[in-house]
């Protein structure tokens, strides 16, 4: 029995059925908990918060030159043996997330951000450690001085009456998590694909990897997990990823540079997968470059 079945969650598969479900007015993202998170609500409140986040994300389209050079510098600094998660995906996704918020993010912050993964109320919000991490990050961000960028824009939206206090506090973390977690998982898995199967386009890679395997919806017959694995890596409908352009640009810069780095050929060892039911990713994968350039 899988995790969904154990929690009484139905599963929708197949591209057409999933597209229909994601566009259906009968199914909502709101579990009824009154959450201020953009991910867990629908209707006017969702559209209002999403509008603010969309404006913030547009600030990274096209990807600013310092972000591109920062990503390339991460790859330039890689040695002949590297862990695709620790040395490649994490610093790249961390750098882009810091640029989205307009604040510096250290390893402790990223550790807590990774711990909130299981805290998206996938199975009724039973993960206390994840909740504690999300709360800690919300408090930390509320006290962080911020330059130009997402955190300052969220505060401005709050001052202008576009967000209430709770929406401001939680959606700063939701935005950071959304920008970080799927990119982290995508970049590491795509790096492994490149190392084992050779060059592919970023679009193709994101569809193959599909780092967010399911999204949850709630309908008259109870909760449903809608699969994205059949060609819908960024979802569809009202909640479709507003950061897909940033994710693809980030992936393009990072994976092009990584492919160059691994061009002489490489060996892969110590591949360890994460076990989350929704987020598909690697915990570790060590790549050793063969030959000299
Ligand atoms: C490869 C990387 C990424 C993947 C695969 C991905 C995937 C997704 C998916 C499937 C959703 C829909 C969730 C749902 O329907 O419940 C989503 C939502 C979202 N994503 Fe992404 N994402 C990625 C990167 C990003 C980035 C880089 C950002 C920000 C710059 C971002 C911001 C968001 C936000 C704010 C939402 C919530 C939208 C809403 O609920 O209306 N994502 N993402």
């Amino acid at each position: 029995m899988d995790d969904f079945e154990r929690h009484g969650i139905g599963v929708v598969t197949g591209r057409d059925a999933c597209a229909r479900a994601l566009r259906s007015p009968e199914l909502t993202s709101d579990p009824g908990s009154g959450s201020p998170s953009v991910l867990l609500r629908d209707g006017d409140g969702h559209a209002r918060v999403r509008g603010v986040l969309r404006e913030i994300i547009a600030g990274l389209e096209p990807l600013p030159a310092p972000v591109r050079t920062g990503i390339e510098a991460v790859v330039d600094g890689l040695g002949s043996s590297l862990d695709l998660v620790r040395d490649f995906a994490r610093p790249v996704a961390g750098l882009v997330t810091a640029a989205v918020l307009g604040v510096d993010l250290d390893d402790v912050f990223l550790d807590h951000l990774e711990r909130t993964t299981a805290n998206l109320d996938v199975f009724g919000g039973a993960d206390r450690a994840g909740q504690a991490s999300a709360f800690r990050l919300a408090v930390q961000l509320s006290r962080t001085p911020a330059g130009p960028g997402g955190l300052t824009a969220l505060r401005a939206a709050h001052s202008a009456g576009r967000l209430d206090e709770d929406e401001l506090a939680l959606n700063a973390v939701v935005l950071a998590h959304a920008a970080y977690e799927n990119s982290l998982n995508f970049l590491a898995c795509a790096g492994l694909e490149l190392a084992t199967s050779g060059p592919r386009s970023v679009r193709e890679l994101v569809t193959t990897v599909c780092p967010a395997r399911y999204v949850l919806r709630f309908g008259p017959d109870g909760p449903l997990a809608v699969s994205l694995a059949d060609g819908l890596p960024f979802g569809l409908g009202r909640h479709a990823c507003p950061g897909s352009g940033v994710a693809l640009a980030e992936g393009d810069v990072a994976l092009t540079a990584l492919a160059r780095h691994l061009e002489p050929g490489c060996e892969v060892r110590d591949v360890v997968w994460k076990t989350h039911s929704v987020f598909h990713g690697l915990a570790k994968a060590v790549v050793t470059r063969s030959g000299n350039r």
Side-chain angles (χ1 to χ4, degrees):
M1 185 189 276
D2 65 19
D3 281 340
F4 293 126
E5 220 178 311
R6 206 171 11 253
H7 288 84
I9 300 174
V11 177
V12 185
T13 55
R15 192 189 159 102
D16 290 351
C18 291
R20 266 198 308 279
L22 293 171
R23 290 190 167 122
S24 166
E26 305 276 294
L27 298 176
T28 171
S29 292
D30 185 348
S33 56
S35 171
S37 164
V38 69
L39 280 161
L40 300 179
R41 62 199 299 189
D42 266 314
D44 292 348
H46 166 253
R48 180 172 43 78
V49 177
R50 184 177 163 102
V52 173
L53 298 183
R54 187 59 210 120
E55 286 165 24
I56 292 169
I57 292 167
L60 273 88
E61 294 167 341
L63 211 54
V67 178
R68 302 179 85 91
T69 45
I71 294 173
E72 279 162 354
V74 168
V75 179
D76 284 347
L78 293 173
S80 56
S81 187
L82 61 122
D83 177 347
L84 285 170
V85 180
R86 186 196 59 201
D87 303 325
F88 169 66
R90 186 173 151 114
V92 172
L95 194 148
V96 174
T97 306
V100 171
L101 291 182
V103 297
D104 289 334
L105 303 177
D106 60 15
D107 276 332
V108 178
F109 189 98
L110 297 183
D111 284 343
H112 281 289
L113 208 47
E114 285 182 39
R115 258 174 242 151
T116 67
T117 301
N119 182 38
L120 296 181
D121 272 338
V122 176
F123 300 123
D127 172 28
R128 292 275 164 81
Q131 285 167 1
S133 281
F135 180 71
R136 185 195 147 123
L137 294 182
V139 172
Q140 184 178 334
L141 285 175
S142 75
R143 294 176 179 157
T144 301
L151 195 51
T152 297
L154 284 168
R155 289 174 184 163
H158 172 247
S159 302
R162 295 174 70 198
L163 298 178
D164 69 24
E165 198 76 35
D166 292 347
E167 288 165 346
L168 167 64
L170 190 62
N171 286 294
V173 181
V174 169
L175 178 60
H177 185 271
Y180 180 72
E181 183 71 30
N182 283 321
S183 294
L184 171 78
N185 290 333
F186 168 55
L187 291 169
C189 294
L192 185 61
E193 289 279 334
L194 288 181
T196 50
S197 326
R200 317 254 288 278
S201 76
V202 178
R203 232 331 141 189
E204 222 182 317
L205 284 166
V206 80
T207 307
T208 305
V209 171
C210 192
R213 288 284 161 106
Y214 296 92
V215 290
L216 269 207
R217 295 294 186 262
F218 303 87
D221 301 324
L224 282 176
V226 182
S227 170
L228 303 181
D230 208 0
L232 300 170
F234 292 109
L236 212 62
R238 302 182 292 282
H239 289 265
C241 179
S244 60
V246 172
L248 290 171
E250 165 187 9
D252 192 28
V253 177
L255 294 165
T256 303
L258 183 71
R260 251 193 335 261
H261 185 76
L262 300 179
E263 216 168 49
C266 60
E267 281 170 25
V268 178
R269 63 180 165 84
D270 295 346
V271 176
V272 183
W273 293 95
K274 292 177 181 169
T275 55
H276 199 269
S277 307
V278 168
F279 297 106
H280 171 67
L282 284 161
K284 180 178 181 177
V286 177
V287 173
T288 305
R289 203 169 65 174
S290 47
N292 291 311
R293 284 194 295 178

